[in-house]
Amino acid sequence: GAGVSQSPSNKVTEKGKDVELRCDPISGHTALYWYRQSLGQGLEFLIYFQGNSAPDKSGLPSDRFSAERTGGSVSTLTIQRTQQEDSAVYLCASSHLRAGFYGYTFGSGTRLTVV
Amino acid sequence: GDSVTQMEGPVTLSEEAFLTINCTYTATGYPSLFWYVQYPGEGLQLLLKATKADDKGSNKGFEATYRKETTSFHLEKGSVQVSDSAVYFCALRDGNNRLAFGKGNQVVVIP
């Protein structure tokens, strides 16, 4: 597609429920990143995919968080047993490393609210 | 690890004023440096970048120069407009092709 697409754009969930957040990167972009943006905390790196593999999962805050990428394209970030501190905007970005690094293209994010 | 530090707090200024947002970095090598902007209700957009020392990135009247000697990449604009009101993030590319971001600065331009 023309840009990075994320869905849903907004999600309200009850504490303890599981949620899935989806990211469709730009076609042909081999690298995909997940970040979390919390009020006053800036952008927190979560996980990075190169193709379907995740060489860097160092930012996942707990074992309740997991992510996968299939077909070198769509990625899903799953949060199990959500807690109120998980409330944030979850941002996905993609880039095309073969052409050199020109920064990321970000999606508009999913705003997650845990009540 | 590699990191970026931005000046604390929001920035409020009048239209046509001069804007500076400070950014310094800590890195083991010579990372590429970026400024991203987030307009209200929108996602992050790349504003400008510089890939080596003394490079100047520029876009939409904004400029930033990669200063190796002071490890800085301050963002400047000579005459801001109300439409420049946004959150600005400084970032560097680390050795793992990951962007490390500063905490961002809210800029509010008053007419």
Side-chain angles (χ1 to χ4, degrees), chain B residues 1-23:
Chain B
D2 296 355
S3 65
V4 169
T5 302
Q6 289 183 236
M7 52 194 277
E8 292 287 330
V11 178
T12 302
L13 60 171
S14 300
E15 204 166 21
E16 299 183 2
F18 185 88
L19 170 69
T20 299
I21 305 175
N22 289 340
C23 171

Side-chain angles (χ1 to χ4, degrees), chain A residues 68-107:
Chain A
E68 64 175 14
R69 189 179 185 195
T70 55
S73 180
V74 172
S75 177
T76 302
L77 177 69
T78 301
I79 310 173
Q80 295 179 310
R81 305 181 302 282
T82 51
Q83 304 294 314
Q84 287 185 330
E85 62 262 27
D86 299 334
S87 296
V89 177
Y90 289 81
L91 294 168
C92 176
S94 67
S95 68
H96 194 340
L97 296 182
R98 280 182 224 155
F101 187 81
Y102 296 100
Y104 300 165
T105 301
F106 278 90

Side-chain angles (χ1 to χ4, degrees), chain A residues 14-82:
Chain A
E14 292 181 354
K15 179 180 171 181
K17 299 282 190 185
D18 297 352
V19 294
E20 282 191 354
L21 312 180
R22 177 187 168 105
C23 173
D24 278 284
I26 290 174
S27 178
H29 277 195
T30 53
L32 185 147
Y33 308 79
W34 283 98
Y35 281 79
R36 179 167 70 174
Q37 186 177 19
S38 306
L39 190 62
Q41 297 299 315
L43 284 113
E44 176 187 10
F45 169 80
L46 298 178
I47 188 170
Y48 155 57
F49 287 92
Q50 179 60 37
N52 290 335
S53 64
D56 189 351
K57 303 179 182 179
S58 61
L60 294 177
S62 76
D63 59 7
R64 296 186 295 106
F65 287 72
S66 63
E68 64 175 14
R69 189 179 185 195
T70 55
S73 180
V74 172
S75 177
T76 302
L77 177 69
T78 301
I79 310 173
Q80 295 179 310
R81 305 181 302 282
T82 51

